[in-house]
Amino acid sequence: MVRMNLHDLSPELLPEELEELDAAEKKAPVFDEGSPAMTPEQLQQFKRINRENRTKPTISLRISPATLKKAKQYGKGYTALLSRLLDAAIDDEELVRKCI
């Protein structure tokens, strides 16, 4: 979830649009049959993600479109698959030398 306020918005918004957003910000949520209010017990089931305390650091790297396509064919969790593949490959000294 991203939290913004009116000052974070584009200066290109019209005054009417800013008024609408200001009014929407002040409205209370409306719960109905399709989206009922959650109990405190239900809310406690959510896990807060603390990006600073992850067990594995997050990095960025470039891979070929073909490799990404193949990885995505394995479905949800393909990034974990790529991580495990890298872990296995980096331990294979012969493979590392071949790729240098």
Side-chain angles (χ1 to χ4, degrees), residues 10-40:
S10 168
E12 299 169 7
L13 291 174
L14 299 173
E16 298 84 24
E17 293 171 316
L18 290 171
E19 287 175 20
E20 277 184 46
L21 289 170
D22 191 39
E25 185 178 38
K26 294 175 184 173
K27 280 187 177 181
V30 177
F31 301 105
D32 61 19
E33 189 176 302
S35 61
M38 298 183 80
T39 65

Side-chain angles (χ1 to χ4, degrees), residues 12-96:
E12 299 169 7
L13 291 174
L14 299 173
E16 298 84 24
E17 293 171 316
L18 290 171
E19 287 175 20
E20 277 184 46
L21 289 170
D22 191 39
E25 185 178 38
K26 294 175 184 173
K27 280 187 177 181
V30 177
F31 301 105
D32 61 19
E33 189 176 302
S35 61
M38 298 183 80
T39 65
E41 293 79 22
Q42 289 171 317
L43 290 171
Q44 286 180 351
Q45 292 176 4
F46 284 95
K47 180 180 178 184
R48 179 172 291 276
I49 296 175
N50 186 346
R51 296 185 190 277
E52 289 78 34
N53 292 331
R54 287 186 174 182
T55 57
K56 296 181 181 179
T58 300
I59 65 161
S60 245
L61 59 97
R62 296 179 190 273
I63 60 173
S64 71
T67 298
L68 181 59
K69 183 178 178 182
K70 287 177 189 176
K72 284 184 173 183
Q73 288 176 349
Y74 288 96
K76 186 177 180 181
Y78 73 91
T79 56
L81 168 67
L82 289 172
S83 175
R84 289 191 299 275
L85 284 170
L86 281 171
D87 289 343
I90 203 73
D91 290 334
D92 185 335
E93 192 172 326
E94 185 179 329
L95 181 60
V96 171

